[in-house]
């Protein structure tokens, strides 16, 4: 629940910036420049939030569920790693949609889903709820990796 609330709050940023970035769809250079600025800011915020959640997980779990929930602490700490990936996946997807790369978005979504099905069951069987948390993190970073490959112009140096 804690992870879900944090991710939902962070996804609001995506909803707020989409209309702002979409107004530059005809000016690709401006779109890339604006997206880069937002991306660096967003990654910094996500890293700070993820670090705070990771470090404060024992305190949060103790306050909400009582002392002695070490497994819940571990799960929240693992999920905190996904705080960076989950919102970034949506950010890159929106960028690709603005760039009219809808086929790439569909392909990435299908690949991410397929990879998730491949590793989620073994992870749950062998590691229970911790395995599910690991699967969430892997899925998030898989989507970000695939999205960022299609958004390679964001990672080039400006000329």
């Amino acid at each position: 629940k804690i992870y879900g609330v944090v991710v939902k709050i962070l996804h609001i940023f995506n909803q707020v910036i989409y209309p702002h970035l979409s107004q530059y769809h005809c000016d690709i250079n401006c779109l890339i420049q604006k997206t880069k600025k937002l991306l660096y800011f967003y990654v910094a915020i996500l890293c700070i939030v993820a670090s705070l959640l990771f470090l404060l997980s024992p305190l949060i779990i103790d306050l909400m569920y009582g002392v002695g929930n070490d497994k819940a602490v571990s799960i929240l700490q693992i999920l905190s790693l996904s705080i960076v990936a989950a919102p970034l996946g949506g950010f890159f997807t929106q960028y690709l949609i603005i760039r009219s790369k809808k086929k790439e978005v569909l392909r990435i979504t299908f690949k991410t889903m397929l990879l998730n099905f491949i590793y989620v069951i073994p992870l749950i069987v062998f590691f229970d709820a911790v395995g599910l948390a690991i699967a969430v993190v892997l899925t998030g970073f898989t989507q970000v990796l695939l999205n960022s490959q299609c958004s390679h112009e964001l990672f080039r140096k400006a000329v």
Side-chain angles (χ1 to χ4, degrees):
K1 291 179 181 182
I2 297 163
Y3 167 78
V5 168
V6 173
V7 169
K8 287 203 185 301
I9 291 169
L10 292 169
H11 272 85
I12 291 171
F13 179 80
N14 289 345
Q15 293 171 339
V16 169
I17 60 130
Y18 181 76
H20 173 71
L21 290 178
S22 65
Q23 70 184 348
Y24 301 108
H25 74 279
C26 292
D27 185 353
I28 299 304
N29 291 328
C30 188
L31 174 63
I32 291 170
Q33 180 186 12
K34 298 282 185 186
T35 303
K36 278 184 179 182
K37 285 181 183 179
L38 287 169
L39 181 61
Y40 294 133
F41 170 76
Y42 199 27
V43 169
I45 295 297
L46 293 173
C47 288
I48 290 168
V49 171
S51 298
L52 285 173
L53 185 59
F54 184 89
L55 293 172
L56 296 175
S57 290
L59 178 63
I60 293 168
I61 295 298
D62 286 351
L63 288 173
M64 294 187 72
Y65 302 106
V67 180
N69 286 305
D70 294 337
K71 192 171 187 176
V73 170
S74 297
I75 291 168
L76 185 55
Q77 287 178 326
I78 292 167
L79 287 172
S80 72
L81 302 174
S82 185
I83 293 294
V84 176
L88 276 182
F91 181 87
F92 280 119
T93 297
Q94 289 178 340
Y95 172 77
L96 292 171
I97 290 170
I98 293 168
R99 292 289 316 270
S100 298
K101 295 184 177 186
K102 292 171 185 71
K103 285 183 183 179
E104 287 86 347
V105 170
L106 182 61
R107 185 178 45 79
I108 289 166
T109 302
F110 182 76
K111 281 183 180 180
T112 303
M113 180 189 67
L114 185 62
L115 288 170
N116 184 46
F117 281 134
I118 291 169
Y119 53 69
V120 74
I121 293 173
L123 284 169
I124 292 172
V125 168
F126 291 110
F127 302 108
D128 196 32
V130 172
L132 182 58
I134 293 168
V136 168
V137 173
L138 288 174
T139 300
F141 279 101
T142 297
Q143 183 186 18
V144 169
L145 177 68
L146 294 172
N147 275 332
S148 62
Q149 287 175 338
C150 283
S151 306
H152 54 85
E153 64 273 3
L154 292 175
F155 303 103
R156 286 193 214 132
K157 294 230 183 238
V159 179

